[in-house]
Amino acid sequence: MNAPVKLNFKDYATDQEVRWCPGCGDYAILKTVQKLMPGLGTAKENTVFVSGIGCSSRFPYYMNTYGFHTIHGRAPAIATGVKLANPELDVWLITGDGDGLSIGGNHMLHVLRRNIDLNILLFNNEIYGLTKGQYSPTSKVGTRSPSTPDGSVDLPLNPCTFAIGAGAKFVARSIDTDMKHLTSVLTRAHQYSGASFVEIFQNCPVYNDEIFEDIKNKKTAPDARLELAHGLPMIFGKSRDKGIRLNTQALKLEIVTLGEDGVTEADVLVHDESNRVMAQMLVELKGPEYPVAVGIIYNAPTSAYISDVYSQRLTVRETSGPADLNTLLRSGHTWAVD
Amino acid sequence: MSAVKKADRQGLNNIVSGVVVRFAGDSGDGMQLTGNNFTEATAVYGNDLATFPDFPAEIRAPAGATFGVSAFQIYFGSEDVTTAGDDVDVLVAMNPAALITNLHGLVPGGLIIVDSDAFSEKNLARAGYKQNPLEDGSLDAYRLLSIGITKRVIETVKPFGLSHKFAARCKNMWTLGLTMWLFDRSRDTAIEGLKTKFANKPELADANIAAINAGHAYGETTELPTGIEVYKVPPASVKPGLYRNTTGTEALSFGIIAGGQLARLPIVFASYPITPASGLLHSLSGKKHFDVVTFQAEDEIAAVCAAIGASFAGSLGVTSSSGPGISLKAEAISLACATELPLLVVNTQRGGPSTGLPTKTEQSDLYQSVFGRHGDTSLPVIAAKDSVDCFDVAIEAIRIATKYRTPVILLSDGYIANASEPWHIPDMNTYEPFPVEFADDPEGFSPVNRNPESLARVWAKPGTPGLEHRIGGIEKDSVTGNISYDSDNHQKMTDIRKSKIDGIANDIPLQDAALGNERGDLAVVGWGSTYGAIHQSVKRCRQDGLDVSHIHIRHLWPMPSNLGTLLAGYQRVIVPEMNTGQLVKILRAEYLIEARSFTKISGHPFRIKEVESEIRAVLEGLK
């Protein structure tokens, strides 16, 4: 192994020309990830980026690590194989709303359920970009696209709701251009052993421009975003005077204003990352009525598949003794012919 | 073949050279277990043997239904045995449905053993009998041994205090005991097996053992009709050494472990349950002490993808399925072709199309294997000819996959997977290792560097410092490995991929004749599990002085370099296949020869006599 050399973000960039459209949110995510890498404490050679198909899935070509640009929707399965072969590798899975939730929805479900130790970055731009703008499973009802010229009619899927439903134990949300926020979310995702699911709101300037504008724009963001932090009250708004309260009668979250109707900070919900029911309610908050929850929404560490597979193997080996194929072939019922 | 009858006629003191016994009953009657026990005892006795488990797709069909009949056929003899036999000499039928569905295979004069207690009005009606065949003379052409087995068994096991249901279930062991007596087999292995199987339920072990012994005693002590007495089938003269029985599935699982060891690679085996391929997943999942990780994926696609991911990370990825599942894997297999990663894909073929006949056998996925992918993708295809051969074929497939960094499709089928035969246990120390070399030098590294001879792409596994690189499904520049849409480069890369696979033809054994001369009147060309039937039919014809040879192709793609020349040396070529003629068309296309197709697609293997009469007909036409 090489002696530890201090790397910087340029060491994680390849010499390949980045080919996303000008203004694409993917550029910002790439930059953030490249900058994040040197500080994670993982050797560059042990880092692997696996992707499926779509704009986001070109990502590995621009990361100077090991990378595998696979086929549409199957990156979770391929990444599972990488981890089964070598659990020591730090595997990042790059996917999008079409790749990860439409054609690859089944694999996403199972990789989350099994809690495979992967950092899953789902770039959600609510559109199919690479195939020129068809609506996706996360597109809002009424999205006009080449395949839905009169507006889409099917109800969209909420990626984080899906993830929690599938059994994910680490679910977070962030924003493409908010480097600070994204860095802190990805750092936490990386620390989590198991499948960490991060939905990243990503702007597609060509086919679905400004759909996250309220959340991204500095002027509107304070009212449109609910930034979660474990142990802190859910307060938001330009004047930090709004809060989220649990209406125990209706069993739903509601917005309250501090100082009005006798509401104090004590009435506001305190974020508890380990609370699954709370997480389920938080991910459903939608604008314009509600602020959109971002940050670490759910984090409840549990046993992870790959390490369990290997510890089971270890147990078998301890009890069975050394494996010898000649012995195995001669075990069970045999007979000699003279 | 009517060995039993022939023996009677010739007065050979009941010494016969070969016998076919078929056990048939409800799928819950334990016929497979009975057959397997009889097989073990027969192997110990020293006969050569082949078996054919023939069971329905329904796990537990309604009792007495014809579609729920499960059968197990064994052919054992003192000469070399390569099929489970054409005609049945002894039919054990546990109920009317088993009798009506299996009687057609019995030779005239053959022996029928039935449980008369099961021939109730209800069961007769359910099987479609208007009258009781045990009483109406319709079985007069056979010898009938009608015994009230159920009542006897219940009486026998009474001391063990089982419920009626469990007591009656011992009837298969009673029948086994009687059959053991009939052919002079030892009950020891079966009794030991029962003790192990029911180690936690000793009363069940005791009851079943008592049933075996009672069935055996019945044969010894009861005055049976004339002509029904102990038959001797002398041991076969086989190569000295240590033997075991193996099914194709077992041999394949051992072969995969062996191949991994010889390549010095850990195996990641990823699969999704499908009949008749699941056995391989079961077998390997129980061998965690070896360097094998098994993964039951969420679907067929995930299984192959996990295997590909594992190969990328430096293990050998192996996936397994049957025809419909292989179709689902097709896109990913092309990814492995494009990224030039090693991958072993096992296809245990079954009757198709679609769900088809899941528990029956067929060879109908040859086209899918050789041609069934998008894009211009060529990959090696290799087929096992019998259960034992699965071991060596797995090793050979792994050698090719790892040396050439390519997916390899290994074809087995439902017959090979389930049929068992004696195996002269190989010594792993006699196999030549083929260790894989991973790249580790950053100097001059490109992910598309190739071995100049084999054209194999370099294999650099994640975790190796300085060799960080990206691969993917997009066409790559032939020098740098970067994405390239250049037209000349695509032509070049396509040519390289094709040359690499074509070149494997020079790294596999030359094709020989399994039997007969390497030129002459007629070659019978087969592949896969038709080996046994072709071999015996050619042997019989040659004994009659006919000039016929048996050529059996293991390497179906690319084919051995001398195959075209070899086939050109025969006046006629016939190709028996359990499909509508797939190999025959590939042979015609590759070598422009006039090959004649002979096909069967009934879900059952060829009978020896079917191939034999085709050979005779073709040679007759030559005169």
Side-chain angles (χ1 to χ4, degrees):
Chain A
M1 299 293 263
N2 294 344
V5 180
K6 184 104 179 96
L7 301 178
N8 69 32
F9 79 94
K10 284 182 191 151
D11 295 309
Y12 284 88
T14 62
D15 59 358
Q16 295 298 290
E17 183 194 349
V18 183
R19 293 191 188 183
W20 288 309
C21 306
C24 176
D26 291 359
Y27 283 96
I29 304 172
L30 177 65
K31 193 74 156 185
T32 301
V33 173
Q34 285 171 343
K35 283 194 164 171
L36 176 76
M37 286 286 134
L40 289 179
T42 307
K44 188 156 76 91
E45 66 269 18
N46 285 339
T47 306
V48 182
F49 278 79
V50 179
S51 65
I53 292 291
C55 294
S56 60
S57 287
R58 296 294 181 96
F59 202 92
Y61 289 116
Y62 312 130
M63 290 298 300
N64 189 18
T65 61
Y66 284 92
F68 199 170
H69 177 221
T70 71
I71 45 177
H72 207 10
R74 318 303 172 200
I78 291 195
T80 300
V82 172
K83 286 295 283 189
L84 280 168
N86 186 354
E88 303 302 315
L89 297 173
D90 187 16
V91 182
W92 296 71
L93 195 151
I94 309 295
T95 184
D97 41 313
D99 187 60
L101 296 172
S102 193
I103 191 167
N106 190 37
H107 308 305
M108 185 61 76
L109 163 72
H110 290 280
V111 88
L112 295 173
R113 169 181 73 81
R114 290 192 183 100
N115 203 23
I116 307 276
D117 189 11
L118 303 170
N119 311 299
I120 303 168
L121 277 52
L122 187 139
F123 298 13
N124 184 11
N125 57 13
E126 299 187 3
I127 208 79
Y128 281 96
L130 198 63
T131 50
K132 299 196 183 350
Q134 299 84 357
Y135 83 118
S136 91
T138 57
S139 297
K140 290 176 181 68
V141 172
T143 298
R144 289 180 189 273
S145 80
S147 58
T148 52
D150 304 308
S152 61
V153 294
D154 41 341
L155 294 175
L157 179 85
N158 180 326
C160 289
T161 305
F162 171 85
I164 294 170
K169 297 292 189 286
F170 184 100
V171 177
R173 248 192 214 141
S174 192
I175 297 135
D176 53 3
T177 47
D178 191 336
M179 187 179 273
K180 196 175 151 213
H181 191 266
L182 184 55
T183 302
S184 79
V185 165
L186 293 183
T187 305
R188 287 285 309 278
H190 182 256
Q191 283 162 0
Y192 176 79
S193 323
S196 37
F197 181 88
V198 182
E199 178 190 9
I200 304 172
F201 295 133
Q202 177 247 319
N203 191 47
C204 173
V206 175
Y207 295 111
N208 214 12
D209 198 19
E210 299 195 341
I211 48 159
F212 303 114
E213 195 52 24
D214 284 354
I215 309 165
K216 293 175 69 162
N217 190 303
K218 281 204 173 89
K219 284 185 192 147
T220 51
D223 287 311
R225 273 195 212 183
L226 174 65
E227 294 205 18
L228 299 168
H230 183 64
L232 294 182
M234 298 178 194
I235 292 174
F236 67 103
K238 263 191 212 81
S239 328
R240 305 287 298 162
D241 61 344
K242 289 182 186 151
I244 299 291
R245 181 173 70 182
L246 177 67
N247 180 328
T248 52
Q249 291 301 306
L251 207 60
K252 60 180 260 194
L253 301 181
E254 60 189 12
I255 298 172
V256 291
T257 306
L258 299 177
E260 275 181 16
D261 303 326
V263 172
T264 69
E265 201 178 299
D267 297 307
V268 175
L269 265 182
V270 172
H271 185 43
D272 174 5
E273 285 176 359
S274 67
N275 188 326
R276 189 168 191 258
V277 176
M278 190 184 283
Q280 280 170 320
M281 290 201 269
L282 286 169
V283 294
E284 293 290 340
L285 297 179
K286 273 200 290 254
E289 189 190 353
Y290 286 97
V292 173
V294 296
I296 315 300
I297 298 167
Y298 184 47
N299 174 29
T302 183
S303 60
Y305 179 80
I306 302 287
S307 52
D308 287 355
V309 163
Y310 274 82
S311 64
Q312 202 179 51
R313 233 158 84 104
L314 218 61
T315 313
V316 169
R317 283 171 185 205
E318 276 164 8
T319 53
S320 71
D324 178 68
L325 188 51
N326 267 335
T327 309
L328 175 69
L329 295 177
R330 284 156 184 78
S331 64
H333 184 65
T334 61
W335 69 95
V337 173
D338 302 322
Chain B
M1 151 131 332
S2 166
V4 174
K5 197 181 161 218
K6 217 185 299 169
D8 287 348
R9 217 173 37 227
Q10 295 169 353
L12 294 176
N13 288 328
N14 290 332
I15 294 176
V16 292
S17 61
V19 175
V20 178
V21 178
R22 190 169 173 93
F23 299 93
D26 256 340
S27 35
D29 275 346
M31 290 296 100
Q32 303 304 321
L33 181 67
T34 309
N36 282 322
N37 271 307
F38 189 78
T39 303
E40 290 242 312
T42 297
V44 170
Y45 189 88
N47 293 130
D48 198 5
L49 65 92
T51 70
F52 177 40
D54 186 10
F55 46 83
E58 289 74 16
I59 302 297
R60 287 274 194 283
T66 52
F67 58 85
V69 172
S70 171
F72 184 101
Q73 185 166 319
I74 174 171
Y75 178 18
F76 57 101
S78 51
E79 288 167 14
D80 89 307
V81 171
T82 58
T83 76
D86 281 6
D87 300 315
V88 177
D89 297 305
V90 177
L91 172 64
V92 177
M94 300 305 286
N95 66 8
L99 181 63
I100 203 165
T101 50
N102 286 282
L103 189 62
H104 63 93
L106 189 66
V107 290
L111 175 63
I112 304 171
I113 300 172
V114 296
D115 177 11
S116 56
D117 292 336
F119 281 65
S120 62
E121 265 180 42
K122 192 173 127 198
N123 279 349
L124 286 166
R126 195 166 268 177
Y129 279 116
K130 296 214 165 60
Q131 301 168 68
N132 189 342
L134 307 183
E135 293 160 2
D136 68 359
S138 62
L139 301 176
D140 283 354
Y142 311 99
R143 289 173 305 157
L144 177 65
L145 193 49
S146 172
I147 311 165
I149 296 175
T150 306
K151 286 202 188 83
R152 280 168 202 279
V153 166
I154 288 171
E155 194 60 35
T156 301
V157 305
K158 213 172 218 168
F160 306 102
L162 305 183
S163 66
H164 179 84
K165 187 173 132 193
F166 280 101
R169 268 195 198 161
C170 298
K171 68 186 170 190
N172 64 333
M173 289 298 117
W174 195 96
T175 317
L176 177 66
L178 177 64
T179 323
M180 297 275 208
W181 166 79
L182 190 62
F183 294 104
D184 193 27
R185 317 276 101 160
S186 161
R187 284 159 283 161
D188 295 351
T189 51
I191 289 171
E192 283 313 306
L194 285 166
K195 283 182 184 160
T196 315
K197 183 178 158 99
F198 295 118
N200 296 325
K201 291 175 182 161
E203 71 283 4
L204 280 183
D206 291 345
N208 277 288
I209 292 165
I212 291 195
N213 290 335
H216 194 271
Y218 180 88
E220 263 179 349
T221 56
T222 310
E223 199 134 306
L224 296 174
T226 317
I228 302 178
E229 48 197 270
V230 175
Y231 292 90
K232 297 270 188 197
V233 183
S237 81
V238 288
K239 205 167 120 190
L242 193 66
Y243 282 77
R244 64 176 292 152
N245 278 324
T246 188
T247 62
T249 298
E250 266 184 307
L252 198 46
S253 70
F254 295 139
I256 289 169
I257 293 172
Q261 290 189 347
L262 294 168
R264 308 270 188 268
L265 285 180
I267 301 281
V268 172
F269 181 88
S271 186
Y272 182 76
I274 182 170
T275 303
S278 309
L280 198 51
L281 172 62
H282 306 166
S283 179
L284 286 168
S285 297
K287 297 185 175 59
K288 290 194 177 65
H289 47 310
F290 287 89
D291 223 352
V292 181
V293 176
T294 58
F295 175 57
Q296 182 180 316
E298 59 269 24
D299 62 29
E300 297 283 1
I301 300 172
V304 65
C305 285
I308 292 170
S311 287
F312 172 63
S315 287
L316 175 66
V318 182
T319 188
S320 159
S321 188
S322 190
I326 302 291
S327 298
L328 285 165
K329 296 180 196 292
E331 186 199 9
I333 296 172
S334 285
L335 173 71
C337 290
T339 50
E340 301 184 64
L341 287 170
L343 172 72
L344 174 60
V345 180
V346 178
N347 180 353
T348 304
Q349 301 164 95
R350 67 188 207 185
S354 189
T355 306
L357 304 171
T359 60
K360 306 295 178 193
T361 195
E362 212 161 274
Q363 298 181 302
S364 45
D365 293 340
L366 182 62
Y367 278 171
Q368 174 172 246
S369 308
V370 177
F371 305 120
R373 284 163 301 283
H374 65 274
D376 211 311
T377 46
S378 179
L379 57 73
V381 180
I382 174 168
K385 67 180 168 128
D386 55 35
S387 305
V388 164
D389 195 40
C390 285
F391 184 76
D392 284 339
V393 163
I395 293 173
E396 174 71 344
I398 290 174
R399 180 187 75 84
I400 294 172
T402 53
K403 179 171 175 184
Y404 292 90
R405 318 281 152 83
T406 175
V408 174
I409 292 183
L410 189 164
L411 291 171
S412 173
D413 62 35
Y415 177 49
I416 288 180
N418 293 311
S420 65
E421 54 177 0
W423 183 20
H424 185 257
I425 304 174
D427 179 0
M428 282 319 297
N429 299 319
T430 62
Y431 284 80
E432 189 70 34
F434 39 84
V436 164
E437 279 180 32
F438 288 101
D440 59 4
D441 186 3
E443 186 62 39
F445 174 80
S446 156
V448 287
N449 282 351
R450 289 175 193 281
N451 178 311
E453 205 177 310
S454 67
L455 298 180
R457 189 177 75 81
V458 68
W459 195 359
K461 60 177 169 182
T464 316
L467 299 192
E468 293 85 355
H469 68 280
R470 277 64 55 198
I471 61 169
I474 299 183
E475 185 64 282
K476 288 152 286 289
D477 182 88
S478 67
V479 178
T480 62
N482 291 327
I483 292 178
S484 168
Y485 297 102
D486 181 77
S487 57
D488 290 343
N489 179 70
H490 181 55
Q491 177 76 51
K492 189 175 174 194
M493 285 297 282
T494 305
D495 293 345
I496 290 173
R497 286 188 289 262
K498 182 178 187 306
S499 306
K500 181 178 81 168
I501 303 303
D502 289 349
I504 295 170
N506 303 316
D507 190 23
I508 55 176
L510 292 176
Q511 184 67 49
D512 60 2
L515 201 59
N517 305 322
E518 301 212 335
R519 56 186 302 113
D521 288 349
L522 174 64
V524 185
V525 183
W527 67 279
S529 72
T530 51
Y531 178 85
I534 297 175
H535 199 74
Q536 292 301 333
S537 58
V538 169
K539 195 167 150 189
R540 286 183 195 176
C541 291
R542 289 185 61 79
Q543 279 163 359
D544 288 348
L546 300 179
D547 181 11
V548 52
S549 303
H550 174 197
I551 290 171
H552 214 74
I553 305 177
R554 169 186 279 189
H555 291 274
L556 289 156
W557 200 266
M559 296 203 267
S561 54
N562 67 326
L563 184 60
T565 328
L566 179 66
L567 295 181
Y570 298 93
Q571 288 201 52
R572 290 280 187 279
V573 172
I574 55 175
V575 186
E577 292 177 89
M578 294 189 289
N579 56 48
T580 56
Q582 300 189 3
L583 176 64
V584 73
K585 291 193 192 73
I586 296 175
L587 292 176
R588 286 175 191 158
E590 287 296 302
Y591 305 118
L592 298 175
I593 56 164
E594 246 189 78
R596 175 171 164 152
S597 184
F598 177 59
T599 68
K600 174 175 183 176
I601 190 149
S602 66
H604 284 263
F606 277 108
R607 287 160 176 249
I608 298 166
K609 63 185 177 194
E610 289 168 342
V611 182
E612 190 181 338
S613 60
E614 177 69 8
I615 293 172
R616 290 181 191 278
V618 170
L619 287 174
E620 197 61 34
L622 265 187
K623 281 183 186 163

